[in-house]
Amino acid sequence: MKRILGLVAATAMAAFAVPAEAQQQLKVGFVATFSGPGGALGRDLYDGFMLGIEQSGGRLGGLTTEVIREDDQLRPDVGLQVTQKLLQRDRVDIITGVVFSNIMMAIYQPIIESQTFVISANAGPSEIAGARCSPFFFSTSWQNDQPHEAMGAHLQRRGVGAAYIMAPNYQAGRDALTGFKRQFKGRILDEVYTTVNQPDYSAELTALRAARPPATYVFYPGGMGVNFVRQYAQAGLTRRVPLYSAFTVDATTVDAQGEAALGTFGTAFWTYDLATGTNELFVRSFLQKHNRMPSTYAAQAYDSARLLHAALTVSNLGNKDALRDALRKADFPSVRGPFRFNNNHFPIQNFYLYETVRDAQGRFVQANRGVVLENHRDAYASQCAMRW
Amino acid sequence: MRATVLAALAIAAVVPLVTAGLGGGEFYLGFATRIVIFAIAATSLNLILGYGGLVSLGHAAFFGLAAYGVGILAAHGVDTAAIQWPVALAACAVFAAVTGLVVLRTSGIYFIMITLAFAQMLYFLFVSLRQYGGDDGLTIATRSRLGPIDLGEPVVLYYLSVLCLVGSLWFCHRLVASRFGMVIRGARTNTRRMAALGFPVFRYQLVAFVLAGVMCGVAGILQANLTQFVSPSYMAWARSGELIVMVVLGGMGTLFGPVLGAAALLILEEVLADWTVHWMLYLGPIIVLIVLFAKRGLIGLFDRRSPPPAGGHHG
Amino acid sequence: MLELLVSQALNGIQLGVLLFLMAAGLTLVLGIMNVVNLAHGSLYMVGAYLAAQMTAVTGSFLLALPMAVLATLVLGLVLEVATLRTLYQRDHLDQVLLTFGLILFFNEVVRVIWGPTALFVPVPEALDQELEFLDGEIIYPAYRLAIIAVGLAVAAFLFWLIARTRVGMLIRAGAANRDMVAALGVDIVRLNTLVFGLGAGLAGLAGVMAAPILAVESGMGDGILILTFVVIVIGGIGSIRGALVAAVLIGVVDTMGRSLLPMILRELVDRQLASAIGPAVASMLIYILMAVVLTLRPQGLFPARTG
């Protein structure tokens, strides 16, 4: 017992001995999935964010910047634990990153309650865009439904009369098809939900073929997308039924999909060939540094860093209201071109159609095929009570 | 024994003081609570695995099921613990009883694989329950209301968890020493002999299986209140594997082994993950080395009197 | 409708054949060595990764196939000698734990070596086409037919090996009564190593065959491992015949469940509800099947063990 009490006394004294935090330092907590199957996305977010810091002279808003990286392991309870560590032990000023919506939903409440700003570089669940929006949450990506709405609008405009739509049987999958149907008014031949992480789609593809649809729309992120797109092509369907998707064919999956991805279409807020000056610099430096094409994930996180840099340059960490005002102005050159925040702190932005093609150097890339939705707002903003 | 128990209680009692001194705010206390919660889960697994020799690779199912019990009822506005907790535990008991009727008819390898398969079945069920968030999980807006006790206070939740752990250990201790426990332990080494002695072994094992499931449910309820969140990943099969690791790491078939094991594994994971993204690269071989060289577990380092585990053969 | 059923049956058989390759090796390891090997799925994953690597190096999938299978077999032997051999006399719990540790290790090691994104393995050119039957009513990818052919050939080989050779006789005897075989003076250690190597090679073959149709990524072996367990439990531990029957049964039930169940449900209940419960029930179907089989026959359909 004596020894334990001694330990308590020693640690208590150590706690008092910690000097008051220097004001010129910025501590950023970066929570993302780095291990396991989702690890590639966390890596892209992190690389994009760090590049954004680098191009801000290594100091966001002129402050010495320290990034503390934490792996949520794609487990909500672990995500919560590392977030509490960042908030309470490391006392970070900002939390960013977050690949998956389920992790965001698990860590959102404690972050907001601690009045810490969180800049989501990817996850954009509908609840946070709507009823549970917060003055401490900002997104530099999109609300989950938006890219799917864009594709729905595109097919609607093209006059496609009917579509066969598929997604994994989880919330993001349901949101995806809901978003698609919000804009697409043609006939839905079938709406198929497959088991999450199902590796083989032969049964579903056989049924799809029998339905003879004029178009297919799917949402299969990550490894599921690799499986689906390849099997779609192997079944000879790509030539017969055009494949439209979102987050299914992108820079993180296309090398594993290979030629099967050629000629498929997707929608996103950004493509590598957007001719904004910032974007050209971003793509060039990313390629140079990491020797691979940047993905949408890297672009979003790059913008997170640039947004912070711009906001912190004209405000300071001590005054949260001033910092919020500065963030709301979004006075930074986004890689996607026009960017401003809606009342729920999600971006109002364009969505583009892209086609997967082989470029002059033989790489598989997503080539921009024009704007589908201009200055698009998400569908949940009206449910958010925040006004400014 | 008495001295060990008192020392353990003393340590548990001063944890909030120590964590307050560490300066990490509620983080360390939350982490300690998580250790205590997993210690309860590991203790419940120890009941059937350590004493009963039933290698369940699906034990995390009960953990997740009870957590969902809290979450789903909370989503429907029922947040009083007096309703939530009995319902959650009853769900665990029913699931344990129904699956137990099937799995306990088998033994050895069959038992391992079937417990795994049933847990997987439940996992897929919750993944596809869209009303309750499916794969994204379910946020629990309010913690369980327990009379005047405020579970939102981290220290309160910590002490409640410790209380539950002490209760579980005491229950285990009494159960194992009883006639019931003797039959369970006897069935571990020789089911036929126990049956020949006239004990309804199947019924005894079923009761033990249900008790273990319910006890694990207690841990799930606490976890739901700690994280205010529940998702199918709570019952993923890798979680069941980790529970086994905790039991064996600490020392199976011993009262305090699983508690030590839970603490050791969670701290090890935390330290490794802090150090490298590729922490599993190190955790995997560490587990292998433990199996190969440290069969008696951590408890063996402390208590030289505890008997070496019997090399029971369940083929 | 008939065309649809035929196509779906082919899909189910193809999945079943892949499961059979996994289950055949594992059921022998379980039956003869009485060892629970959770890392069997890791061997499948390693086989797929090696296929990707060797296809990239040699430029030919057909060259990569034997190399990758052989390399996985060797890895299996190394694992057996280095770790599992010491555990034969220990209980199943130790084996579960040790091989659980191996899964964590392998899932991470492939990410360290090959990176976090999925790898690409091309379908061999000659098989990269669809075949048409019944005047184009049934269209089926040639490569998937090749998987079925390879699986059936392996099944035939295994039946010959078990039924007609001395090794096979020992395997059969070992599955029925291990202690008896040892008592008869058979070098049981060598037999174990041989069986484990064979199982590892088959898991590797399954991984290689799956590589061109599936994403080669970390953790790809975990899902199929659990399905394999279901197959083995239904088929009866140690029985190749049981593994084949159960694998095809599971393949067909799973496929039919996924494709037909939502259709049937839609006839019975309203569309919204059908799309909500259809996938849930479909993904639980094989576990329900397993529970039913075990309730009726706790030792599986074709129990090999006599003692």
Side-chain angles (χ1 to χ4, degrees), chain C residues 258-277:
Chain C
R258 268 157 45 202
S259 57
L260 298 184
L261 201 67
M263 269 158 67
I264 296 167
L265 276 173
R266 222 170 289 161
E267 301 294 320
L268 299 176
V269 296
D270 86 307
R271 198 188 170 91
Q272 200 69 34
L273 187 64
S275 86
I277 60 174

Short mmCIF file of all heavy atoms in Angstrom, two decimals, chain C residues 258-277:
data_model
loop_
_atom_site.label_atom_id
_atom_site.label_comp_id
_atom_site.label_asym_id
_atom_site.label_seq_id
_atom_site.Cartn_x
_atom_site.Cartn_y
_atom_site.Cartn_z
N ARG C 258 -29.14 -16.46 -51.88
CA ARG C 258 -28.91 -15.07 -52.21
C ARG C 258 -29.73 -14.61 -53.39
O ARG C 258 -30.18 -13.47 -53.45
CB ARG C 258 -27.42 -14.85 -52.49
CG ARG C 258 -26.64 -14.42 -51.26
CD ARG C 258 -25.18 -14.74 -51.41
NE ARG C 258 -24.65 -14.37 -52.72
CZ ARG C 258 -23.56 -14.89 -53.26
NH1 ARG C 258 -22.90 -15.82 -52.63
NH2 ARG C 258 -23.14 -14.49 -54.42
N SER C 259 -29.92 -15.51 -54.38
CA SER C 259 -30.59 -15.05 -55.59
C SER C 259 -32.09 -15.29 -55.55
O SER C 259 -32.87 -14.47 -56.03
CB SER C 259 -29.99 -15.75 -56.81
OG SER C 259 -30.08 -17.14 -56.66
N LEU C 260 -32.52 -16.40 -54.95
CA LEU C 260 -33.93 -16.74 -55.02
C LEU C 260 -34.74 -16.26 -53.82
O LEU C 260 -35.89 -15.88 -53.95
CB LEU C 260 -34.11 -18.26 -55.16
CG LEU C 260 -33.51 -18.87 -56.42
CD1 LEU C 260 -33.83 -20.35 -56.50
CD2 LEU C 260 -34.00 -18.15 -57.67
N LEU C 261 -34.09 -16.26 -52.64
CA LEU C 261 -34.83 -15.91 -51.43
C LEU C 261 -35.47 -14.52 -51.50
O LEU C 261 -36.66 -14.38 -51.20
CB LEU C 261 -33.90 -16.02 -50.22
CG LEU C 261 -34.61 -16.18 -48.88
CD1 LEU C 261 -35.31 -17.52 -48.81
CD2 LEU C 261 -33.62 -16.05 -47.74
N PRO C 262 -34.71 -13.49 -51.92
CA PRO C 262 -35.36 -12.18 -52.03
C PRO C 262 -36.54 -12.20 -52.99
O PRO C 262 -37.56 -11.56 -52.74
CB PRO C 262 -34.24 -11.28 -52.56
CG PRO C 262 -32.98 -11.97 -52.19
CD PRO C 262 -33.28 -13.43 -52.24
N MET C 263 -36.41 -12.98 -54.09
CA MET C 263 -37.50 -13.08 -55.07
C MET C 263 -38.74 -13.71 -54.44
O MET C 263 -39.85 -13.22 -54.60
CB MET C 263 -37.06 -13.92 -56.28
CG MET C 263 -36.44 -13.08 -57.39
SD MET C 263 -35.36 -14.03 -58.48
CE MET C 263 -36.48 -15.10 -59.29
N ILE C 264 -38.49 -14.81 -53.71
CA ILE C 264 -39.61 -15.52 -53.09
C ILE C 264 -40.27 -14.63 -52.03
O ILE C 264 -41.49 -14.50 -51.96
CB ILE C 264 -39.12 -16.84 -52.45
CG1 ILE C 264 -38.60 -17.77 -53.55
CG2 ILE C 264 -40.23 -17.51 -51.67
CD1 ILE C 264 -37.83 -18.95 -53.05
N LEU C 265 -39.41 -14.00 -51.22
CA LEU C 265 -39.93 -13.15 -50.15
C LEU C 265 -40.80 -12.03 -50.70
O LEU C 265 -41.80 -11.64 -50.11
CB LEU C 265 -38.77 -12.56 -49.35
CG LEU C 265 -38.20 -13.43 -48.25
CD1 LEU C 265 -36.95 -12.81 -47.66
CD2 LEU C 265 -39.23 -13.67 -47.16
N ARG C 266 -40.38 -11.54 -51.87
CA ARG C 266 -41.10 -10.42 -52.45
C ARG C 266 -42.53 -10.84 -52.83
O ARG C 266 -43.45 -10.03 -52.85
CB ARG C 266 -40.35 -9.91 -53.68
CG ARG C 266 -40.32 -8.41 -53.75
CD ARG C 266 -39.37 -7.96 -54.82
NE ARG C 266 -37.99 -8.21 -54.46
CZ ARG C 266 -37.00 -8.26 -55.34
NH1 ARG C 266 -37.25 -8.14 -56.62
NH2 ARG C 266 -35.77 -8.46 -54.96
N GLU C 267 -42.68 -12.12 -53.14
CA GLU C 267 -44.02 -12.62 -53.46
C GLU C 267 -44.87 -12.69 -52.19
O GLU C 267 -46.09 -12.54 -52.24
CB GLU C 267 -43.94 -14.01 -54.08
CG GLU C 267 -43.13 -14.07 -55.37
CD GLU C 267 -43.78 -13.28 -56.49
OE1 GLU C 267 -45.03 -13.34 -56.61
OE2 GLU C 267 -43.06 -12.58 -57.23
N LEU C 268 -44.21 -12.96 -51.07
CA LEU C 268 -44.95 -13.22 -49.84
C LEU C 268 -45.24 -11.96 -49.04
O LEU C 268 -46.34 -11.78 -48.55
CB LEU C 268 -44.17 -14.21 -48.97
CG LEU C 268 -43.91 -15.58 -49.59
CD1 LEU C 268 -43.04 -16.43 -48.68
CD2 LEU C 268 -45.23 -16.29 -49.88
N VAL C 269 -44.22 -11.11 -48.90
CA VAL C 269 -44.41 -9.90 -48.10
C VAL C 269 -44.14 -8.68 -48.97
O VAL C 269 -43.74 -8.82 -50.12
CB VAL C 269 -43.47 -9.89 -46.87
CG1 VAL C 269 -43.81 -11.02 -45.94
CG2 VAL C 269 -42.02 -9.96 -47.30
N ASP C 270 -44.35 -7.49 -48.40
CA ASP C 270 -44.20 -6.32 -49.26
C ASP C 270 -42.73 -6.05 -49.55
O ASP C 270 -41.83 -6.51 -48.85
CB ASP C 270 -44.91 -5.10 -48.63
CG ASP C 270 -44.03 -4.37 -47.66
OD1 ASP C 270 -43.50 -5.03 -46.75
OD2 ASP C 270 -43.86 -3.15 -47.82
N ARG C 271 -42.47 -5.28 -50.59
CA ARG C 271 -41.15 -5.11 -51.15
C ARG C 271 -40.14 -4.54 -50.15
O ARG C 271 -39.01 -4.99 -50.05
CB ARG C 271 -41.29 -4.17 -52.36
CG ARG C 271 -40.13 -4.22 -53.30
CD ARG C 271 -40.26 -3.13 -54.35
NE ARG C 271 -39.03 -3.04 -55.09
CZ ARG C 271 -38.80 -3.72 -56.19
NH1 ARG C 271 -39.71 -4.51 -56.68
NH2 ARG C 271 -37.64 -3.61 -56.83
N GLN C 272 -40.61 -3.54 -49.40
CA GLN C 272 -39.73 -2.88 -48.44
C GLN C 272 -39.20 -3.88 -47.42
O GLN C 272 -38.01 -3.97 -47.17
CB GLN C 272 -40.54 -1.77 -47.73
CG GLN C 272 -39.69 -0.72 -47.07
CD GLN C 272 -38.97 0.13 -48.10
OE1 GLN C 272 -39.50 0.39 -49.17
NE2 GLN C 272 -37.75 0.54 -47.78
N LEU C 273 -40.14 -4.65 -46.87
CA LEU C 273 -39.77 -5.63 -45.86
C LEU C 273 -38.88 -6.71 -46.47
O LEU C 273 -37.90 -7.14 -45.87
CB LEU C 273 -41.04 -6.24 -45.27
CG LEU C 273 -40.84 -7.18 -44.07
CD1 LEU C 273 -40.25 -6.40 -42.91
CD2 LEU C 273 -42.15 -7.83 -43.67
N ALA C 274 -39.21 -7.13 -47.68
CA ALA C 274 -38.45 -8.18 -48.34
C ALA C 274 -37.00 -7.76 -48.53
O ALA C 274 -36.08 -8.53 -48.28
CB ALA C 274 -39.08 -8.53 -49.68
N SER C 275 -36.81 -6.52 -48.94
CA SER C 275 -35.44 -6.08 -49.17
C SER C 275 -34.71 -5.86 -47.85
O SER C 275 -33.50 -5.82 -47.81
CB SER C 275 -35.40 -4.81 -50.03
OG SER C 275 -35.53 -3.68 -49.22
N ALA C 276 -35.47 -5.74 -46.77
CA ALA C 276 -34.83 -5.58 -45.47
C ALA C 276 -34.40 -6.92 -44.89
O ALA C 276 -33.28 -7.07 -44.40
CB ALA C 276 -35.76 -4.86 -44.49
N ILE C 277 -35.29 -7.91 -44.96
CA ILE C 277 -34.96 -9.18 -44.30
C ILE C 277 -34.31 -10.19 -45.24
O ILE C 277 -33.63 -11.09 -44.80
CB ILE C 277 -36.19 -9.81 -43.61
CG1 ILE C 277 -37.29 -10.10 -44.62
CG2 ILE C 277 -36.68 -8.96 -42.46
CD1 ILE C 277 -38.44 -10.86 -44.01
#
